[in-house]
Amino acid sequence: MSRSQLAPGVEVVAVPGRGLAVRTPEGEFLSVRTRGADEEALLCLLSGAAGTPADEEQGRVMRAFEEAGYLADGPPSPKWPAARRNVRLLGDPVLTEPLAAQLTALGARPRTDPATAPGASPGGLEDLLREDPAAVVWCLDGPVPDGLWDAADRLPAHGVAWLRCHREGRQAYVEPLAAAPGDVTSAHVRARRLAATPAHRELAAYWSGPRACGAPAGPTPPAAGLLAALLADDLLRWAADAPEETGLPARRRLRRVDLRTLTVTEHPVLPVPAVAPMPQTAPAAGKNG
């Protein structure tokens, strides 16, 4: 057997009067036909406590688990590669501080830019590339002003991963990580969101125009921790080249977080194709241009 214990998220339970059942990572229960095999011995095998199957029937059951993808060599523990450890954090401390703590625990080397907290912004692309970061993460406790992220949208073309989040009232948005030319940028997300709502004029005005605000609606510590966890997980999976497991691809996924209930919903988002320039129209013969 090349694998000898249950994969993460897979569990086996002994059901009184019905034998063994598998609980899959998706939460479904499947019956296991053991054909008289010792169930306690199988539980020991599947937990990794026993070495090898003691008989042919135990071996058959273990092979069936492996073929179904329910066995693994051990729990996956992606490590942060040294070449991608330098992560530059920009934005508001209410979000960058918990994110820095999580990235440090995962093995990255986050560097919070004091010049951008709060409210300030780096000069342009050259400043964003300063000190050769592997990734840049920008977190805003508010809407994104027009043009603020234009320079950062060019980071993937220079080999730097680009990740961001922002808050709009009691909702926060975690945008897709962009790591290569052709990935989804912040400009693409804005264009897609405007195209998807009949209130596109109001949304555009909300982003750029003056607005009155009520009581502070910023994230609570649990909400900030959730946003930091989503960002840190996306970065770790990118840094370790971890495969996609379920749901939408991370680089084509916009996540909306309801800060009141901490509910996360996912929405597919694609890059916006470049618009072809309008053709030049020659003036009609006999008329002045």
Side-chain angles (χ1 to χ4, degrees):
M1 304 292 296
S2 60
R3 295 178 174 86
S4 59
Q5 70 180 76
L6 293 172
V10 179
E11 299 171 284
V12 177
V13 60
V15 184
R18 297 183 64 88
L20 300 181
V22 179
R23 187 182 190 279
T24 70
E26 294 74 30
E28 298 177 321
F29 284 97
L30 306 175
S31 297
V32 181
R33 296 181 180 178
T34 58
R35 297 178 184 174
D38 187 327
E39 292 181 0
E40 288 189 9
L42 278 172
L43 288 173
C44 289
L45 277 171
L46 292 166
S47 66
T52 58
D55 55 43
E56 183 178 343
E57 181 58 17
Q58 289 184 12
R60 183 194 68 80
V61 174
M62 295 295 286
R63 286 192 296 274
F65 270 77
E66 183 171 17
E67 290 170 1
Y70 294 153
L71 296 184
D73 297 317
S77 54
K79 296 182 179 180
W80 210 293
R84 292 180 171 179
R85 280 186 183 150
N86 291 331
V87 179
R88 185 175 180 188
L89 304 183
L90 307 173
D92 294 300
V94 67
L95 297 171
T96 58
E97 288 178 0
L99 177 56
Q102 295 204 32
L103 292 176
T104 300
L106 291 171
R109 285 197 294 263
R111 180 174 60 83
T112 303
D113 221 307
T116 65
S121 63
L125 182 62
E126 290 186 3
D127 186 71
L128 290 168
L129 294 171
R130 180 166 44 85
E131 298 187 21
D132 194 26
V136 171
V137 188
W138 205 327
C139 305
L140 291 180
D141 184 26
V144 186
D146 284 337
L148 181 66
W149 284 351
D150 287 354
D153 275 348
R154 296 157 57 196
L155 287 168
H158 293 263
V160 177
W162 163 225
L163 184 60
R164 61 269 176 204
C165 76
H166 68 281
R167 179 179 64 82
E168 297 179 5
R170 301 311 305 273
Q171 292 78 42
Y173 293 87
V174 179
E175 299 195 4
L177 184 143
D183 279 349
V184 177
T185 66
S186 69
H188 295 158
V189 171
R190 288 169 83 90
R192 294 293 187 188
R193 288 186 59 196
L194 288 172
T197 177
H200 56 89
R201 295 179 183 86
E202 291 81 356
L203 182 57
Y206 174 77
W207 286 338
S208 61
R211 55 186 177 272
C213 300
T220 61
L226 172 60
L227 291 171
L230 294 173
L231 293 165
D233 186 68
D234 279 352
L235 278 172
L236 176 60
R237 293 181 183 277
W238 158 77
D241 291 319
E244 299 286 346
E245 293 186 1
T246 59
L248 298 169
R251 286 155 75 170
R252 297 293 185 267
R253 173 187 64 202
L254 173 66
R255 286 185 288 203
R256 181 180 183 270
V257 182
D258 190 319
L259 299 177
R260 300 164 297 180
T261 62
L262 302 189
T263 303
V264 181
T265 54
E266 296 185 350
H267 307 271
V269 60
L270 297 172
V272 177
V275 178
M278 291 291 290
Q280 294 291 332
T281 303
K287 295 184 178 181
N288 294 326

